[in-house]
Amino acid sequence: MATPPQASPGYSRTITPQMDSLSSKPDQSAMSLSSGAPRFPPPISQQDQIPSPSIKLPTMLSPANGVKTGSSVPHMSTPPGPPVFASPVRPAAVPFRTSPATPQPVAFSSASSLPTSSPPYFSNGSVELQQQLPSAIEEPVPDGKSPCVLFSAHKVLKHKKQANVPSLGFGVLVSPGRDTSPGPQVIQRDPHRCHDCGAYSNLYSNILIGSGQWQCVICGNLNGSEGEYIALSKEELRNFPELLSPLVDFIQTGNKRPSFIPVTDSRTSAPVVLVIDECLDEQHLQYLQSSLHAFVDSLPPTTRIGIILYGRAVSVYDFSEESIASAEVIPGGASPTQEALKALIYGTGISLSPMHASKEVAHLIFSSLRPYKLNVPEASRDRCLGTAVEVALAIIQGPSADFSRGVVKRPGVNSRIIVCAGGPNTYGPGSVPHSYTHPNYPHKEKTAIKWMEHLGHEAHQQNTVIDILCAGTCPVRVPVLQPLAKASGGAFVLHDDFGEAFGMNLQRASARAAGSHGLLEIRCSDDILVTQVVGPGEEAHIENHETFKNDLSLCIRMLSVEETQCFSISMENRHDIKSDFVFFQFAIQYSNVYQADITRVITIRLPTVDSVPEYLQSIEDEVAAVLIAKRTLLGAKSHSDAIDMRTTIDERVKDIALKFGSQVPKSKLRRFPKEISLLPEFLFHLRRGPLLGNIVGHEDERSVLLNLFLNASFDLSLRMVAPRCLMHREGGTFEELPAYDLVMQSDTAVVLDHGTDVFIWLGAELAADEGRSAAAVAACKTLAEELTELRFPAPRILAFKEGSSQARYFVSRLIPAHKDPPYEQEARFPQLRTLTTEQRTKLKSSFIHFDDPSICEWIRSLKVVPPEPI
């Protein structure tokens, strides 16, 4: 798996954070900043009088704990209704149909058939067995594994009826742009592809070393290699990385390509345009200014930056003026005219400038910003965000834009627009009325959504990603703004304020590596049918019949290619499988940040089995939980939908127990299968947590979380489903424990990582000891920073004491186990055995009674016996 598995309830794990100091004395070297205004404001009061000693940030990353997240959050299927768990199994809705639902025989060309002396046997286009044709490597080839591809099970059931149980399902999580360690094998030539179906040669291909021909694992066709695979022995084939590794990158670079830019310049010279809301009150503006100052200090010297402000008009700042903040002003009530854009782009001003030449000017511009002066409520202030983004796109295009024909040429590098918004778009194109009570509001909102989506698609075509970072207390009308970020391949993030978390996301947004022109191709053995895809892309209709006459691949056009993204792909058996293996190939074509054309090919082989227990043993609980969660959340568009999806989860658990569990002796109850004993806990967290539960109060916040989750990487998705709980121990180490409320022991500090939020809980007894509590909080903060160092969006980190009002955020995300009998508590939370009788009595008395069931009570209410903990 891509990450270490979560600790089971039966054991704990100790973690030591990488800290340079736990001293409460501020580390001066860690706090040094360049001259100017303070780069970050004092943190907004999010603690209840907890000492917060300054500590030097860790210099080492924590790869095992660092979580990489997703960005924009489109999904590619309409929300399905609640699944019906009945036999016979009904086929799932197919958002991207690659072929007819019934198996179709694959045509084989007579010119590329196998030698007549050893004819192959094909069934529905699948290769059964060919002993006469040797594989590339003599010794048995292990089943391919890759951190970019995570299957819900490492084996596939042969029988269709057993395999296609919708309550459990089978699928894979694909992260096209994920970094791998060690890095992939790099090949600087064109790949060999099957002439029939378009699949790529790989380590499972059978090779005729005498002729150099190779056999496709997807369709069985025999293909030539232009003599490249001709070898005297199989050992010579080891010189071809694609025949040795399940993951390879084919790379094409060259200065003859029209968009080629030298590697040293392309990534760091990509323009970043800030589009800033100028309708902010003084308190919000102060925090925003500090975040903006820190942002420009973090940029590489060759990065080109542009600064645009918007209110009732659009102000494009000029970097040619070194001593004053000067800007060109464009009316915001309508889209900018071609004449206005020509005057801006071909004028004497400089709208985009490298940081090494404009840093001081940028600081001067930010310092010159002034708060909103008129006595108008935040939601009623005129903001022409749509016009401002149109202007930003124009200055990124620069003189390359052909205004006379209305044609925009694609720039050579990937660009990014970052919108800093404090309220809704209420003026100009794409705007909505100030008030929801406007008689024509629904129509205007629908029109605005379409306009924003169209603008996002235009940005995507111009190779520009738009991230929208919102903050403050004013509703920003998420349904209107989100399509702009989504269609461009960008991220939409909500913040409480413009303080530290906002500033961190501002920096991480600009630093994200985004590839472009991405295309994901999925090919499987003929036995397997792709039924649903969820992720940051849309169906691509590619006509390859002239090149590959039987290409039945599923093609997805990716809006951007980032290592923090993930596609969730659900699959089914077309029919009973007769072969011993099934093959899956994922090909990702894109241009990376250095403008090199990449084709990443990942080929996986999974064995097939008849035994249900053997299949269950191969299931990865964490991957299966994330796949189920993403399928479920497609139907949770509103709060009422979320309630329905909780019922769906209940039915899912019951059906899994019915189909795969065992009968309890002398009872009608079914026991949940022990092989996947962690799955119910993940699903219980899902139905109680912010994605489906009642923790999140506002529908806008729920909508943003939902879209983030549907697009997020496996690591962040797992944390958003089930929090990770770590208890502080003496000496600065941490013990990983199940996320149960039994962790709230008064003499400890606890870190709870729930993906978009990280909570630090300080027990009352520990808080009373000032010295110990200071060291514990410092260690917890350092660990929280390590856990989230690579995460985008950067989560909120909240600290509070036991019994405080904010502690409810922490308590609501823990499984309530305090009502369970002691033997069940010890079985699922073994750390209790280390407590004295007095400590256990004190812990029991600290809980306040409420009606939420424990996980055991919940499973029993479904007429299912809980699985024994591992």
Side-chain angles (χ1 to χ4, degrees):
M1 293 188 61
T3 59
Q6 175 170 312
S8 71
Y11 77 98
S12 62
R13 181 165 51 183
T14 301
I15 296 175
T16 305
Q18 302 290 338
M19 294 190 296
D20 296 308
S21 172
L22 289 179
S23 169
S24 60
K25 181 178 179 180
D27 187 335
Q28 299 298 330
S29 63
M31 300 181 65
S32 61
L33 296 168
S34 59
S35 60
R39 302 301 183 240
F40 276 119
I44 286 182
S45 177
Q46 293 176 332
Q47 306 182 15
D48 292 328
Q49 298 178 350
I50 297 179
S52 303
S54 297
I55 55 175
K56 187 175 180 181
L57 295 181
T59 56
M60 295 179 61
L61 299 180
S62 180
N65 298 330
V67 179
K68 303 174 183 179
T69 65
S71 55
S72 71
V73 201
H75 59 82
M76 295 168 290
S77 87
T78 54
V84 178
F85 304 127
S87 294
V89 177
R90 296 187 298 178
V94 184
F96 301 144
R97 176 78 66 185
T98 60
S99 62
T102 55
Q104 299 293 315
V106 176
F108 293 93
S109 169
S110 59
S112 59
S113 61
L114 287 171
T116 55
S117 59
S118 57
Y121 171 70
F122 296 106
S123 173
N124 293 321
S126 297
V127 182
E128 292 296 323
L129 181 63
Q130 294 158 48
Q131 297 286 354
Q132 297 86 351
L133 201 56
S135 61
I137 308 301
E138 287 187 1
E139 63 269 16
V141 180
D143 298 324
K145 292 184 180 181
S146 167
C148 300
V149 174
L150 301 173
F151 279 90
S152 60
H154 298 303
K155 297 178 181 178
V156 177
L157 277 171
K158 288 187 175 182
H159 299 291
K160 175 182 177 180
K161 186 176 180 179
Q162 294 174 333
N164 293 354
V165 174
S167 54
L168 184 56
F170 172 76
V172 60
L173 298 172
V174 179
S175 302
R178 177 166 184 160
D179 283 342
T180 59
S181 181
Q185 294 281 344
V186 176
I187 307 170
Q188 289 190 310
R189 59 171 169 79
D190 291 334
H192 290 294
R193 302 188 64 177
C194 176
H195 303 311
D196 194 57
C197 72
Y200 296 76
S201 63
N202 56 80
L203 74 167
Y204 304 113
S205 299
N206 294 319
I207 309 292
L208 288 174
I209 59 175
S211 63
Q213 292 176 297
W214 61 277
Q215 188 179 28
C216 176
V217 298
I218 301 298
C219 71
N221 188 53
L222 198 64
N223 303 276
S225 64
E226 299 179 355
E228 278 198 285
Y229 291 162
I230 295 177
L232 296 177
S233 68
K234 293 174 185 174
E235 289 297 320
E236 291 186 21
L237 295 177
R238 293 180 178 274
N239 296 324
F240 296 94
E242 69 269 31
L243 303 182
L244 200 62
S245 171
L247 187 154
V248 291
D249 280 358
F250 294 91
I251 299 181
Q252 292 182 351
T253 59
N255 54 14
K256 294 181 180 180
R257 296 177 58 232
S259 63
F260 178 78
I261 291 179
V263 167
T264 55
D265 299 334
S266 63
R267 179 170 178 175
T268 55
S269 63
V272 176
V273 178
L274 296 174
V275 178
I276 303 169
D277 185 351
E278 66 176 356
C279 300
L280 302 179
D281 293 329
E282 185 171 2
Q283 181 185 9
H284 289 314
L285 181 61
Q286 288 177 356
Y287 281 94
L288 176 61
Q289 284 176 310
S290 297
S291 296
L292 292 172
H293 283 303
F295 170 71
V296 296
D297 283 339
S298 71
L299 292 176
T302 55
T303 298
R304 291 183 295 152
I305 187 175
I307 300 174
I308 294 176
L309 262 64
Y310 69 93
R312 191 172 175 83
V314 178
S315 302
V316 182
Y317 278 85
D318 181 6
F319 290 98
S320 64
E321 299 286 348
E322 297 183 359
S323 57
I324 59 173
S326 173
E328 294 282 343
V329 179
I330 297 175
S335 295
T337 63
Q338 293 184 2
E339 290 72 20
L341 293 179
K342 281 184 178 180
L344 177 66
I345 293 171
Y346 292 98
T348 58
I350 300 175
S351 302
L352 287 175
S353 177
M355 283 308 305
H356 65 79
S358 57
K359 178 179 288 189
E360 294 307 316
V361 180
H363 282 307
L364 182 65
I365 293 170
F366 297 146
S367 298
S368 70
L369 302 183
R370 295 294 179 263
Y372 190 80
K373 295 297 185 182
L374 300 179
N375 186 24
V376 177
E378 280 188 298
S380 300
R381 298 169 188 175
D382 289 337
R383 295 178 173 91
C384 58
L385 187 152
T387 306
V389 172
E390 286 185 297
V391 173
L393 286 171
I395 67 171
I396 286 175
Q397 292 298 302
S400 67
D402 187 346
F403 295 105
S404 61
R405 299 182 185 177
V407 177
V408 180
K409 299 178 183 178
R410 190 183 299 275
V413 294
N414 304 314
S415 309
R416 191 175 293 274
I417 294 172
I418 303 177
V419 180
C420 305
N425 181 36
T426 54
Y427 188 64
S431 64
V432 290
H434 298 112
S435 174
Y436 289 106
T437 60
H438 189 282
N440 206 22
Y441 187 89
H443 172 72
K444 287 185 174 294
E445 183 185 56
K446 186 177 181 180
T447 303
I449 290 172
K450 288 184 177 180
W451 191 90
M452 286 293 184
E453 187 173 18
H454 177 72
L455 183 60
H457 283 303
E458 281 191 2
H460 176 65
Q461 292 170 2
Q462 296 177 23
N463 220 16
T464 300
V465 173
I466 302 173
D467 293 322
I468 302 178
L469 307 183
C470 305
T473 56
C474 180
V476 295
R477 316 284 171 89
V478 170
V480 176
L481 293 185
Q482 199 164 41
L484 175 59
K486 179 178 176 179
S488 71
F492 187 97
V493 188
L494 294 177
H495 303 82
D496 292 333
D497 54 63
F498 290 97
E500 189 168 357
F502 177 90
M504 191 64 67
N505 279 325
L506 196 59
Q507 296 180 28
R508 293 182 186 181
S510 67
R512 281 187 300 149
S516 59
H517 317 135
L519 186 70
L520 169 62
E521 296 177 342
I522 305 169
R523 293 179 174 86
C524 312
S525 295
D526 189 53
D527 306 302
I528 302 297
L529 173 68
V530 175
T531 59
Q532 189 180 66
V533 178
V534 181
E538 54 194 21
E539 184 178 6
H541 299 282
I542 307 297
E543 294 295 336
N544 282 333
H545 296 297
E546 294 183 4
T547 308
F548 311 111
K549 56 187 175 182
N550 288 305
D551 186 0
L552 301 179
S553 63
L554 172 60
C555 296
I556 302 167
R557 180 173 289 106
M558 294 180 282
L559 299 176
S560 64
V561 184
E562 301 180 16
E563 60 179 318
T564 58
Q565 296 174 340
C566 181
F567 288 90
S568 169
I569 303 168
S570 299
M571 301 175 176
E572 289 183 353
N573 287 22
R574 289 180 185 268
H575 42 67
D576 290 346
I577 301 174
K578 296 182 175 62
S579 57
D580 293 329
F581 298 95
V582 286
F583 297 90
F584 306 84
Q585 190 171 83
F586 308 92
I588 303 102
Q589 303 174 30
Y590 67 101
S591 296
N592 69 1
V593 292
Y594 304 117
Q595 297 303 296
D597 287 337
I598 308 291
T599 300
R600 170 168 289 187
V601 180
I602 307 166
T603 309
I604 303 294
R605 181 183 72 178
L606 296 182
T608 58
V609 294
D610 291 299
S611 167
V612 172
E614 190 176 353
Y615 167 72
L616 293 176
Q617 196 68 43
S618 76
I619 289 178
E620 291 284 355
D621 297 60
E622 295 174 335
V623 179
V626 170
L627 282 162
I628 289 173
K630 295 202 177 195
R631 289 199 299 266
T632 302
L633 284 165
L634 279 175
K637 296 299 181 184
S638 65
H639 179 65
S640 60
D641 292 336
I643 295 175
D644 293 339
M645 292 302 105
R646 294 178 215 164
T647 305
T648 299
I649 291 177
D650 296 345
E651 295 300 318
R652 190 181 297 276
V653 171
K654 289 164 63 176
D655 195 67
I656 292 174
L658 178 65
K659 299 294 195 329
F660 298 107
S662 57
Q663 187 79 38
V664 177
K666 300 180 181 179
S667 171
K668 295 182 179 180
L669 301 179
R670 304 284 295 184
R671 183 181 297 278
F672 198 87
K674 62 181 179 180
E675 295 88 350
I676 50 176
S677 60
L678 290 179
L679 185 59
E681 186 168 311
F682 291 130
L683 297 182
F684 189 55
H685 275 300
L686 172 64
R687 76 187 304 281
R688 296 184 73 250
L691 293 170
L692 286 180
N694 296 317
I695 295 176
V696 176
H698 199 280
E699 279 303 302
D700 279 0
E701 188 177 355
R702 185 190 300 276
S703 172
V704 172
L705 279 177
L706 171 66
N707 283 277
L708 172 63
F709 175 77
L710 291 176
N711 201 32
S713 67
F714 164 71
D715 303 287
L716 178 59
S717 297
L718 180 62
R719 288 284 73 83
M720 291 178 73
V721 168
R724 187 182 187 193
C725 184
L726 301 123
M727 178 183 285
H728 178 258
R729 292 302 188 189
E730 297 297 331
T733 61
F734 286 83
E735 181 182 7
E736 185 165 2
L737 297 171
Y740 288 20
D741 60 1
L742 300 173
V743 77
M744 296 191 299
Q745 298 163 24
S746 190
D747 61 341
T748 63
V750 179
V751 175
L752 189 74
D753 179 6
H754 210 168
T756 55
D757 297 278
V758 179
F759 305 101
I760 298 172
W761 180 88
L762 192 65
E765 186 177 323
L766 178 61
D769 187 331
E770 187 174 343
R772 288 178 58 221
S773 65
V777 170
C780 290
K781 286 185 175 180
T782 301
L783 177 66
E785 289 163 357
E786 284 188 355
L787 291 174
T788 63
E789 191 161 11
L790 302 177
R791 192 175 299 179
F792 180 82
R796 295 185 302 175
I797 300 179
L798 304 177
F800 33 73
K801 293 190 300 184
E802 179 183 4
S804 66
S805 61
Q806 284 191 316
R808 69 185 187 278
Y809 297 121
F810 175 79
V811 177
S812 63
R813 296 163 193 258
L814 298 173
I815 292 177
H818 63 276
K819 295 188 294 182
D820 288 337
Y823 69 90
E824 279 193 347
Q825 291 179 347
E826 290 184 5
R828 300 182 183 280
F829 199 88
Q831 188 264 350
L832 282 181
R833 299 168 188 159
T834 65
L835 302 183
T836 65
T837 303
E838 182 183 354
Q839 287 174 321
R840 292 190 66 162
T841 302
K842 185 185 297 184
L843 176 63
K844 184 177 180 179
S845 64
S846 67
F847 293 110
I848 300 174
H849 177 75
F850 49 88
D851 295 332
D852 282 4
S854 69
I855 184 171
C856 293
E857 292 174 329
W858 170 63
I859 295 178
R860 289 194 179 97
S861 72
L862 305 176
K863 308 301 182 184
V864 175
V865 177
E868 294 295 329
I870 298 175

